[in-house]
Amino acid sequence: MSEYGEIETGQEHAEVEQLQQVDASEQDYQSQFGVYEQDHASAESTSFDQGRHVEYTDPSGAHYEETEFTSYDHSAAETDHVFAAEGSESASSSEFHQLDTLRAQLDSAFAQATVVQDGPAIAAS
């Protein structure tokens, strides 16, 4: 009868490392400008005239003359001008950084055996 056996034992060690990195940035710019302008103009003129004229001559040759006159003048001018400007401007910037890391350690042990056995020997006859 023969007997054969093999036994093996051991240990394994492993590490897993994972690294994740994120870099991001954002920029924003806004501008808004407005202009307002207004004009106004006005003109006025007034004139007033009045008159009277009388002239008379009688049959004897006498002569009579009368004159009345009134004159009025008015003038006006007006102008307006408005100018306005406004504006706004803004800018922003942001940055984002993220770093994730993972580390895992794996340990394992194993045992393995192989056994072969032969039965009783058969005699040759």
Side-chain angles (χ1 to χ4, degrees), residues 50-61:
Q50 208 176 30
R52 179 178 175 198
H53 180 73
V54 175
E55 187 172 346
Y56 175 72
T57 304
D58 64 12
S60 63

Side-chain angles (χ1 to χ4, degrees), residues 34-98:
V35 175
Y36 174 75
E37 187 168 350
Q38 181 180 4
D39 289 320
H40 172 75
S42 177
E44 182 178 336
S45 178
T46 303
S47 181
F48 176 73
D49 296 321
Q50 208 176 30
R52 179 178 175 198
H53 180 73
V54 175
E55 187 172 346
Y56 175 72
T57 304
D58 64 12
S60 63
H63 184 71
Y64 174 75
E65 188 175 336
E66 178 182 340
T67 302
E68 286 184 25
F69 201 86
T70 303
S71 178
Y72 172 76
D73 192 29
H74 170 73
S75 181
E78 181 180 341
T79 182
D80 295 323
H81 183 81
V82 176
F83 174 81
E86 68 172 340
S88 66
E89 186 175 26
S90 65
S92 66
S93 176
S94 64
E95 293 185 11
F96 176 77
H97 303 286
Q98 181 180 10

